[in-house]
Amino acid sequence: VLQLHGNQIRQLSEVRKLHTLTSLSKVTLHSNPLYTEKESGLRKPRALVIHALRSTSLRSLDFIPITDTERHASAQYAIMNKKKKKKKIVDEDGNEFLRP
């Protein structure tokens, strides 16, 4: 179990770094800005997290079991999200924002 809830994780790229933990079975990410659409620009962060960690043994995300149906749907959503991806703007402090 890897508990990362409440750690100010804002970018899906930070979560993707966990893909090398192939035996990772449970992770908590709730209470992070990543899960707030206003902060991250992501409409379905759970689906994208599941897809990002598909190379792990992830069975549970935020204490909720992941079903095979959800895995399949997350892959489809990730493909659709990639096509609709908004361009990022980086300010002088290095903060990233999505262009409206």
Side-chain angles (χ1 to χ4, degrees), residues 6-66:
N7 275 292
Q8 296 303 310
I9 298 171
R10 298 179 186 282
Q11 303 288 325
L12 188 61
S13 60
E14 294 298 313
V15 175
R16 284 187 188 115
K17 294 175 184 177
L18 303 174
H19 82 279
T20 59
L21 304 175
T22 55
S23 62
L24 181 65
S25 62
K26 298 177 182 180
V27 67
T28 60
L29 289 167
H30 61 87
S31 301
N32 279 296
L34 173 72
Y35 275 32
T36 307
E37 184 177 352
K38 185 176 179 182
E39 286 280 336
S40 69
L42 301 176
R43 291 187 54 212
K44 295 185 178 182
R46 179 176 168 87
L48 294 174
V49 167
I50 292 169
H51 184 70
L53 299 179
R54 65 191 176 279
S55 64
T56 68
S57 301
L58 196 63
R59 295 186 327 255
S60 172
L61 175 59
D62 297 321
F63 306 110
I64 301 170
I66 300 168

